[in-house]
Amino acid sequence: MAWDVASVGADLLRCEDERVDRAPFTDEWPELDLATGYEIQDRNLQARLDRGETLVGIKLGLTSKAKQQRMGIDVPFVAWLTDAMVLPAGDPVPQSRLIHPRIEPEIVFVMGRELTGPGVSCATAMRAVESVWGGAEIIDSRYRDFRFKAGDVAADNASSGVFVTGPVGLPPSGLDLTLEAALVEVDGQVVDSATGAAVLGHPGEALALAANELAKRGHVIKPGWIVLTGGMTDAVPAPPNSSTAMHFTHLGSIFINGGE
């Protein structure tokens, strides 16, 4: 099959809706580069909005060097969040919606002011933040074994699944986000930890990167938007009947049951 922007976008939405995975498109369409992947991502956002979803923010992916090295990709990604991706606190992993869910801790911003690139710095970005929260993203991928290249994952909305925010929101002025830590606990055992410094040195750098990258695509970050700044640690599998917790230094804890 000769793939193009429209057919790749449609097939990714089909895989998501039918809960099936596939080989990366770059196996058959090597010309699927990052810019083309973002074109597909924006096209599929419009498809989501057309079917009734509401845009609520953005997410970043592969903002930590550890995750970049593991995935073999050396650039972070920006993608979209809609209300259909919100997991209410206390709800289990929606296994019936996801293909191979994995959970990672994130520092989350709620925006107080519009942020427009290019030229946004970390300091400028943080002045636009209203509050900081702990969060967990349950990532998913429409690609088998999470195998993909940059264009594939950009097209796939940076492996979006669902996300949940924690119980504590604080103003950014009272936090040192480079030192804000997260412990990842699986079935009662701590398996990983990291601080905000793992996210491009400071989560505000991820926010600045997002504003500058979105400007190239003609978008701005709006007041009230939620921003997931990227996984602080590697993601852990979230199979049925598992128990995962994310414990933050100042931002509370999030507990997620693996569901049925």
Side-chain angles (χ1 to χ4, degrees):
M1 179 174 178
W3 294 104
D4 59 17
V5 167
S7 59
V8 168
D11 204 56
L12 283 169
L13 290 177
R14 178 193 64 82
C15 288
E16 182 178 332
D17 292 341
E18 296 179 5
R19 193 172 168 261
V20 295
D21 59 11
R22 54 156 298 130
F25 292 98
T26 49
D27 285 359
E28 303 169 53
W29 187 23
E31 295 79 17
L32 174 55
D33 58 10
L34 185 59
T36 307
Y38 277 138
E39 185 180 351
I40 295 165
Q41 184 191 114
D42 287 348
R43 183 186 182 94
N44 277 1
L45 171 65
Q46 189 58 55
R48 294 177 191 278
L49 300 180
D50 290 345
R51 70 189 188 188
E53 297 178 37
T54 301
L55 180 60
V56 298
I58 58 171
K59 57 163 281 181
L60 288 105
L62 297 185
T63 51
S64 77
K65 289 297 183 185
K67 290 204 68 176
Q68 289 178 12
Q69 291 168 1
R70 192 176 80 80
M71 302 310 299
I73 295 175
D74 61 359
V75 292
F77 297 93
V78 184
W80 301 109
L81 297 175
T82 74
D83 59 340
M85 301 172 192
V86 176
L87 182 69
D91 280 14
V93 175
Q95 299 286 350
S96 63
R97 287 178 51 190
L98 305 177
I99 302 167
H100 30 212
R102 294 172 170 266
I103 304 178
E104 58 190 25
E106 308 223 2
I107 289 175
V108 180
F109 297 141
V110 174
M111 302 304 297
R113 303 206 313 261
E114 184 173 287
L115 191 61
T116 305
V120 175
S121 67
C122 178
T124 302
M126 291 307 300
R127 286 195 291 270
V129 174
E130 180 178 90
S131 56
V132 183
W133 302 74
E137 185 180 13
I138 305 175
I139 61 172
D140 201 15
S141 176
R142 275 43 70 179
Y143 302 118
R144 197 164 300 129
D145 301 321
F146 279 80
R147 181 175 70 86
F148 44 67
K149 293 184 178 178
D152 297 301
V153 70
D156 192 33
N157 204 47
S159 304
S160 61
V162 297
F163 69 95
V164 59
T165 52
V168 179
L170 297 173
S173 58
L175 295 168
D176 184 343
L177 293 180
T178 61
L179 298 179
E180 183 69 23
L183 296 178
V184 180
E185 181 184 305
V186 177
D187 296 331
Q189 300 293 319
V190 174
V191 298
D192 209 344
S193 65
T195 67
V199 181
L200 297 179
H202 187 290
E205 295 285 0
L207 177 59
L209 181 147
N212 294 329
E213 287 296 317
L214 287 172
K216 299 175 185 177
R217 296 155 59 185
H219 304 295
V220 301
I221 298 175
K222 301 289 185 64
W225 275 13
I226 298 164
V227 179
L228 307 184
T229 58
M232 300 166 70
T233 69
D234 201 0
V236 296
N241 302 311
S242 60
S243 176
T244 307
M246 309 289 172
H247 305 290
F248 294 86
T249 307
H250 300 100
L251 301 173
S253 295
I254 298 169
F255 300 90
I256 302 175
N257 183 277
E260 298 296 324

